[in-house]
Amino acid sequence: MGLVAIFLVPWTLYLTFTLPSRHLTTNYDIAWVGFDVALAAAFAATAWAAYRRLRWLLPLAAVTGTMLLCDAWFDIVTSQGGREVIEASLEAAFGELPLAALCGYIVVDVERFLATVDRFRRPPTPAARRAALRAMRDDARAARREAPTRRGRPG
């Protein structure tokens, strides 16, 4: 891996000076559709692994997060300026990057993430249900007490 990293430095410099800044391709749509299908599959696999508490959750979350970062990057840099750049940037800021951060959180602290998933999966206990009903009843009583009373008809 270290040798590959070292090799990529001159390769990147070579590409910097030899690649055209503009390139048209006939399969641009197929590339993006294929990438989005793979991203959807990664999301589904990550969600399934989280729900089932599978040991594949860590690598799947890492793959999904990486794909989201790549998607954000390429959406922005392949935009044709103006409105497209703004749209891609907003999509990255409010969609792809927060989801990538969630995937990163899963990778960093999978146990805490799974504990949170478990809390959502478990139904509330009878005591929790009773407490919620009691709180709703108390709120309704307080609202009735605070409501103005009508003393006769307005004239």
Side-chain angles (χ1 to χ4, degrees):
M1 290 294 171
L3 290 174
V4 172
I6 292 169
F7 172 75
L8 280 174
V9 172
W11 177 250
T12 304
L13 288 171
Y14 168 75
L15 292 177
T16 301
F17 296 110
T18 60
L19 285 178
S21 61
R22 180 180 161 99
H23 177 76
L24 298 177
T25 181
T26 57
N27 295 322
Y28 184 79
D29 55 343
I30 295 171
W32 278 113
V33 169
F35 183 84
D36 286 342
V37 167
L39 183 57
F43 266 115
T46 302
W48 179 69
Y51 183 77
R52 302 287 303 206
R53 298 183 63 91
L54 299 176
R55 61 186 169 96
W56 287 97
L57 176 58
L58 248 66
L60 288 169
V63 165
T64 304
T66 303
M67 290 181 74
L68 283 163
L69 293 174
C70 292
D71 194 18
W73 170 261
F74 284 106
D75 281 347
I76 292 169
V77 299
T78 61
S79 296
Q80 293 186 351
R83 182 182 166 110
E84 278 189 28
V85 172
I86 292 169
E87 186 178 310
S89 298
L90 290 172
E91 195 174 299
F94 295 106
E96 294 151 340
L97 297 179
L99 289 169
L102 175 62
C103 289
Y105 172 70
I106 293 170
V107 172
V108 169
D109 198 351
V110 71
E111 290 305 318
R112 184 177 290 176
F113 175 78
L114 288 174
T116 303
V117 169
D118 287 344
R119 278 197 299 276
F120 283 110
R121 287 180 64 189
R122 265 187 250 123
T125 63
R129 272 190 238 117
R130 284 191 303 273
L133 290 172
R134 202 170 23 255
M136 289 187 322
R137 185 184 63 231
D138 293 345
D139 287 347
R141 284 182 185 159
R144 278 195 303 268
R145 268 186 262 135
E146 293 172 5
T149 57
R150 297 176 85 183
R151 294 188 177 193
R153 293 182 171 186

